[in-house]
Amino acid sequence: MIKLNMFTKSALFLSLCLFSQVALNQSVDTSRAIAQEVIPQEEQNIVSNTTKDVTNEVELMGNPGSSKYPSGSRVYARNIWDMQLFNNRLYLGQGNSANSGPAPNAGPAEVWYFDLTSQQFVKQFTTSDEQVSKYRVVGGELMIPGHDPRDSWNLGNLYKLEASGWKKYRNVPNAIHMYDVYKFSNQLFVGLGTRYSQTIYKSTNAGSSWKGIVPNPNPGRIYTLFELGNKLYASGYAMDIVQYNGGFIGVTNNFLLGGTQFKRTTTPPVVVRPTNFQNQLVYIVAKNVNDHQWTPLNLNVAASPTAVRTVTLPGRAKPWDVVCSDSKCYALGAIYNGSGDYTITVSETSNLTEWKEVFRFKSDTFARSFEMDDSGNFYFGLGCEISPIPTSTGNILRVSKSAWSS
C-alpha cells in the first residue's frame, strides 16, 4: 500500500482532488478503458512462484453459439456469461438482454451443455428470454432466473430442470428481469429488475406463489442474493446492501470495498460470483456495463459484513470468476497485455490469504467464466466487452489436470 509523505500540504490536497476527479471519470464504458482500468487494491500475501504456461496444451472444445450468432456484432451474444457443472454436464449461459449496443435483445436464448461423458455439445432447450445470464443450483435443482422475457412483462420466468426436461414457471408478478434465485431458510427468493418498488419476492411453498418485498433502503434492481454467517443479503444497482430479517433492511457493511469510487457515477458497484468457503464469502465487486452486464473491479473476501478485505491476484490479474472445492478456492484472472493479447490465469488458495498462480495461457481475449470438473480439468468460456468483439468469443477451452498439475 502506497503512503504519501506530507511535506507539502497544499500539493497533497491538490493531488487528492485531481485523483478523485479521475476516479469519478473512470465510469466511461468503453472496452479499452475497461481493459486497462487500474483499481486500487489492498495488497495481500501473494506467493511468488514460477507459474506453468500451458498455452500449447489448451484444447478448443467448440463454440456452440456460433450457429445462432455467426458473425458481426451478433458474436457479442456468444459471451459465456456463466458456466455451471451439474450431473456431469457443463451448462453454458449465452444471449444478450441489452436494448442497445452489439446484438441487442439476442434471444430467445438457448440452453447448451457440454456432456463430460460423450464429449459432445448438446442444445437442450430454448428459453423465452433474451439471455441466460446465470445458473443456480437451488436445493439440488438446477434453475435459471429469466433475465429478460419475450413474453408479457406482467410476469417473469423461472426455469427448472426436472426429470422430463426444462420447465418454465411463469408466476412472479412484474418481473421484467429476474436476476437471481436463492433458497434460504426453506424459502425461495428472487431478485428483480422491475418498474415497481417490490424488487424482491419470496415463496414459502417452493414457488407455487410469491409475496413481494420492498427493501428499505431500496437498492433498485436486485442483481445478486448471497449468504454469509447464516444471514441472507441482496445487492443491487445502488450502493445499498440489504439484509433479510423478515423484510430486507439496510445494514452496516463493507461488502463493496474497492468499488466505492463509483458511488456518484452511473456505473454503481454490485456483488457478483458470490461463493462460500470456510465460513467466509469470496466474491467479485463489479460495475454495471451495457445495461445488464458487468465488468470486474476487484476480488474480495468477507469474514463478516464489516470484516472485508480486497485480494490482489498474482500478476495483478483482473478477476472474472471464482470456483471453490472442499479444500481450495480458484480464481480466474486476466492480464491485459495489449489489443488482442491477454494472459488468462488460474490462482488457488487454501486459506483465502495466500494466493498462488498455478497456471496461465495466452489468448486473444479474456475468459469470462470457468469451471472445474471432478477430475481436476478446467473449462473456460471466452468473452468480450462491447468492443472489440473477437470471433473467439464463445469458445470453450479445456486445460486437463495432467497439463497443469504435472
Side-chain angles (χ1 to χ4, degrees), residues 39 55 59 69 71 132 135 175 241 243 318 361 375 380 404:
I39 303 301
T55 301
E59 302 172 81
Y69 311 112
S71 60
V132 174
Y135 292 93
I241 300 284
Q243 176 188 312
K318 194 172 186 177
F361 59 90
S375 299
F380 301 84
W404 66 266

Side-chain angles (χ1 to χ4, degrees), residues 131-148:
Q131 177 177 335
V132 174
S133 178
K134 184 182 298 183
Y135 292 93
R136 277 287 204 181
V137 179
V138 181
E141 294 182 297
L142 187 63
M143 298 187 186
I144 301 171
H147 206 260
D148 188 358

Side-chain angles (χ1 to χ4, degrees), residues 74 86 109 195 200 293 313 335 341 349 351:
R74 287 182 64 76
F86 187 79
R195 293 169 292 188
I200 301 175
Q293 321 308 350
L313 292 176
I335 300 171
D341 184 6
T349 182
N351 56 18

Side-chain angles (χ1 to χ4, degrees), residues 275-277 282 322-330 352 372:
T275 307
N276 293 99
F277 182 73
V282 191
V322 178
V323 170
C324 294
S325 65
D326 291 338
S327 60
K328 290 184 178 180
C329 262
Y330 298 89
L352 298 179
M372 183 179 67

